[in-house]
Amino acid sequence: VSYGELNRRSNQLAHYLRELGAGPEVVVGLCMDRSVEMVVGLLGILKAGGAYLPLDPTYPQQRLSFMLDDAAVNVVITQEHLRDKVETSAVRTVSLDRDPIEGHSTENPEPAASSANLAYVIYTSGSTGIPKGVMLNHKGLTNRTLTMIDQYGIQSNDRQFQFISLSFD
């Protein structure tokens, strides 16, 4: 997929998510296998101004349900074969491989979030009891990225291989 196509598809999802109420301080779940659709989902949530909650499809059902409830998630972006892992009466699921988003605008949405707004929520392992949600804002994420660029001398033509789970900070 080209960067242009990735941008268009994530813009369509962002516009759709805004119709569903996504925006600053609204947490949207993301339960997907590693795929282009996962990247579309992640970018779509951020472009809508929302914060993403990564939901690893390999997690036990009880943990996923706890995270959805604890983070007060109303919408989850998923794939059809994973829908049953996150579908509840309180959560609306959007399957990117089934639910059409093509009718929505491909234009970049107007920015809705600021650096102080929530970017994502990551849950601890729960090894000492109940897992806890750790909330990170855009400013913290930006500071971390700038530090990595400075520490490792990353240039615009460098590439990084992402090999860890999206659910790991």
Side-chain angles (χ1 to χ4, degrees):
V1 67
S2 70
Y3 286 112
E5 179 64 18
L6 179 63
N7 189 52
R8 285 187 292 278
R9 289 172 57 191
S10 61
N11 287 343
Q12 288 175 312
L13 179 59
H15 288 289
Y16 180 56
L17 289 173
R18 283 192 177 170
E19 288 177 9
L20 298 179
E25 306 306 311
V26 174
V27 179
V28 178
L30 182 66
C31 184
M32 303 188 83
D33 293 326
R34 283 181 181 261
S35 61
V36 170
E37 287 76 24
M38 182 183 78
V39 179
V40 169
L42 177 66
L43 292 174
I45 292 166
L46 292 172
K47 286 180 173 218
Y52 68 90
L53 170 65
L55 300 160
D56 190 324
T58 65
Y59 284 171
Q61 184 70 46
Q62 184 177 4
R63 180 178 171 93
L64 292 173
S65 296
F66 171 80
M67 292 165 59
L68 288 168
D69 185 54
D70 190 62
V73 171
N74 294 321
V75 176
V76 175
I77 308 303
T78 191
Q79 294 160 305
E80 190 61 26
H81 72 278
L82 298 173
R83 184 183 287 257
D84 63 328
K85 292 187 136 306
V86 292
E87 194 167 47
T88 71
S89 60
V91 174
R92 178 172 183 159
T93 55
V94 176
S95 294
L96 284 187
D97 54 351
R98 192 197 88 181
D99 298 328
I101 59 169
E102 290 81 20
H104 293 82
S105 174
T106 60
E107 297 299 315
N108 290 326
E110 288 294 320
S114 74
S115 63
N117 288 122
L118 192 59
Y120 62 101
V121 178
I122 301 284
Y123 274 79
T124 63
S125 65
S127 59
T128 60
I130 297 174
K132 306 211 178 20
V134 179
M135 302 183 300
L136 298 134
N137 63 20
H138 290 280
K139 187 174 184 175
L141 185 57
T142 300
N143 287 343
R144 169 74 171 140
T145 301
L146 293 175
T147 298
M148 295 297 291
I149 290 169
D150 183 55
Q151 291 289 315
Y152 296 106
I154 297 173
Q155 303 293 315
S156 62
N157 61 342
D158 290 334
R159 302 293 178 259
Q160 180 179 353
F161 179 67
Q162 182 68 26
F163 59 89
I164 59 173
S165 167
L166 190 61
S167 301
F168 184 78
D169 187 24

